[in-house]
Amino acid sequence: MIEGMRMDLWKCRYQSFEELYLYCYRVAGTVGLMSVPIMGIAPDSPASTRGIYDAALFLGIGNQLANILRDVGEDAQRGRVYLPQDELAQFGLSDADVMSRKVTDGWRAFMKQQIARARFYFDQAEIGASHLDKDSRWPIWSSLMLYSKILDAIEENDYDNLTKRAYVGRAKKLLTLPLAYMRSLAVPSLAL
């Protein structure tokens, strides 16, 4: 985790998703991994310990990707682009497009791909969330569902995360918490 924080001191561009994944792993995936022993694993869980740790890692990666996508415009103002350069290029985009803060059809297509990737990690995290100790599930489900709503907010803003900050309003947060609680009550059944 400390190495991830150090990366912010010298690195402000990521050539590929593999490089960005390493950053996400260090700054957020490690938090998920460190949380499992604190949260505990449900004694009746049929899942493997490895599967639960993988799900926790995926939640950290998904959360960090949501943060990155939410903050693209703010990061650009600081001269930072936490987006895979090679994938920007696949959509005919570059740092100059990010810095210009103009939403184009190419930008929207690029963002759809990035959001799909973040959702993939959230889907993988969901598989393990109900395998944690029952007293720990609600905060994990809340995190998973609220960070997913950041992605919804980007879509609702017509993929304008260059000039608008996607956020989840208080009312949506409050409505999400009971839903997360209900999800946390699920008995773990699927083995990981």
Side-chain angles (χ1 to χ4, degrees), residues 33-51:
L33 295 173
M34 290 185 285
S35 297
V36 172
I38 297 164
M39 299 289 186
I41 297 172
D44 57 343
S45 172
S48 70
T49 301
R50 170 69 188 252

Side-chain angles (χ1 to χ4, degrees), residues 21-96:
Y21 179 90
L22 177 61
Y23 172 74
C24 293
Y25 168 79
R26 287 178 173 170
V27 299
T30 55
V31 174
L33 295 173
M34 290 185 285
S35 297
V36 172
I38 297 164
M39 299 289 186
I41 297 172
D44 57 343
S45 172
S48 70
T49 301
R50 170 69 188 252
I52 293 170
Y53 273 89
D54 286 346
L57 169 64
F58 294 147
L59 179 57
I61 300 293
N63 285 353
Q64 188 62 32
L65 290 173
N67 283 340
I68 287 168
L69 298 178
R70 177 195 63 204
D71 297 340
V72 170
E74 293 173 19
D75 288 334
Q77 288 179 314
R78 295 180 183 104
R80 306 180 79 74
V81 178
Y82 290 92
L83 301 168
Q85 297 288 308
D86 60 347
E87 293 177 16
L88 281 167
Q90 288 172 7
F91 288 86
L93 302 167
S94 67
D95 281 358

Side-chain angles (χ1 to χ4, degrees), residues 13 23 30 38 43-44 48 74 96 121-122 126 141-142 145 161 167-168 171 176 188 191:
R13 299 289 187 281
Y23 172 74
T30 55
I38 297 164
D44 57 343
S48 70
E74 293 173 19
Y121 284 101
F122 286 135
E126 274 191 30
W141 274 105
S142 297
M145 293 172 78
N161 53 351
Y167 69 95
V168 181
T176 299

Side-chain angles (χ1 to χ4, degrees), residues 2-185:
I2 292 169
E3 284 305 312
M5 302 301 168
R6 286 184 179 147
M7 287 175 79
D8 274 330
L9 297 175
W10 59 271
K11 191 165 183 67
C12 60
R13 299 289 187 281
Y14 293 85
Q15 276 311 122
S16 65
F17 180 68
E18 290 75 27
E19 282 187 16
L20 183 61
Y21 179 90
L22 177 61
Y23 172 74
C24 293
Y25 168 79
R26 287 178 173 170
V27 299
T30 55
V31 174
L33 295 173
M34 290 185 285
S35 297
V36 172
I38 297 164
M39 299 289 186
I41 297 172
D44 57 343
S45 172
S48 70
T49 301
R50 170 69 188 252
I52 293 170
Y53 273 89
D54 286 346
L57 169 64
F58 294 147
L59 179 57
I61 300 293
N63 285 353
Q64 188 62 32
L65 290 173
N67 283 340
I68 287 168
L69 298 178
R70 177 195 63 204
D71 297 340
V72 170
E74 293 173 19
D75 288 334
Q77 288 179 314
R78 295 180 183 104
R80 306 180 79 74
V81 178
Y82 290 92
L83 301 168
Q85 297 288 308
D86 60 347
E87 293 177 16
L88 281 167
Q90 288 172 7
F91 288 86
L93 302 167
S94 67
D95 281 358
D97 296 295
V98 176
M99 299 303 177
S100 75
R101 303 179 72 196
K102 288 186 173 46
V103 178
T104 63
D105 289 340
W107 179 257
R108 287 182 189 92
F110 171 75
M111 285 309 303
K112 287 176 186 178
Q113 179 191 50
Q114 301 305 306
I115 288 171
R117 174 184 288 137
R119 285 201 171 116
F120 167 80
Y121 284 101
F122 286 135
D123 290 346
Q124 298 306 303
E126 274 191 30
I127 295 169
S130 292
H131 292 277
L132 295 172
D133 185 77
K134 64 182 171 74
D135 293 333
S136 301
R137 293 179 198 159
W138 189 19
I140 297 304
W141 274 105
S142 297
S143 170
L144 201 157
M145 293 172 78
L146 289 170
Y147 272 82
S148 292
K149 289 196 175 300
I150 292 171
L151 304 175
D152 296 342
I154 294 169
E155 290 171 332
E156 289 164 10
N157 287 341
D158 195 28
Y159 303 96
D160 184 359
N161 53 351
L162 295 168
T163 65
K164 298 177 183 175
R165 189 170 204 264
Y167 69 95
V168 181
R170 182 179 298 216
K172 281 187 183 179
K173 286 179 185 175
L174 291 175
L175 291 171
T176 299
L177 294 177
L179 296 173
Y181 181 72
M182 294 306 292
R183 293 291 301 266
S184 76
L185 298 176

